[in-house]
Amino acid sequence: MPKCDIEAVIRILRRENRKFTIPIVSRIAESSSIQKPFLVLISCLLSLRTKDETTASASERLFNLAASPQEMLGLSVGQIEKAISPVGFYRVKARRIRE
């Protein structure tokens, strides 16, 4: 492939890449205010089979209740379910988070 073709492809990729948003899990991971692996893990679990907008709001609700493993242990499965609903498979995910 000629060098000019490679440069053209790179220009196109850069232009097209601007159309995409950063996934919520990446935003949580990069956030300087909450650099906690636990929050990244939980938000990743919530994001499975769930739209980013739903994951973002569910993560925020849950992290307002509990932002550490110790705080999470203080919540019941029902409280976690309520906070993360309408995330896909929220009942199963709530049990896993509590475990």
Side-chain angles (χ1 to χ4, degrees):
M1 177 179 268
K3 184 177 180 176
C4 63
D5 290 345
I6 293 171
E7 291 170 355
V9 168
I10 290 173
R11 277 194 305 276
I12 292 168
L13 289 172
R14 283 185 177 144
R15 183 182 67 234
E16 294 299 313
N17 190 45
R18 288 186 212 124
K19 296 177 184 178
F20 296 99
T21 59
I22 298 173
I24 186 62
V25 175
S26 297
R27 285 187 292 190
I28 290 172
E30 293 173 353
S31 174
S32 60
S33 64
I34 59 167
Q35 290 185 359
K36 296 182 180 179
F38 175 72
L39 300 183
V40 175
L41 174 66
I42 297 300
S43 63
C44 184
L45 175 68
L46 295 177
S47 74
L48 299 171
R49 310 275 298 171
T50 303
K51 291 184 178 182
D52 241 19
E53 301 81 34
T54 305
T55 300
S57 60
S59 295
E60 183 178 347
R61 285 191 304 274
L62 182 59
F63 298 156
N64 283 335
L65 295 174
S68 71
Q70 295 79 13
E71 291 174 343
M72 200 65 69
L73 287 172
L75 300 178
S76 69
V77 171
Q79 288 173 302
I80 297 170
E81 285 178 357
K82 185 176 177 183
I84 67 173
S85 176
V87 164
F89 304 101
Y90 71 95
R91 287 189 173 105
V92 174
K93 291 177 182 179
R95 288 193 309 268
R96 294 298 169 256
I97 289 169
R98 183 62 174 82
E99 288 173 358

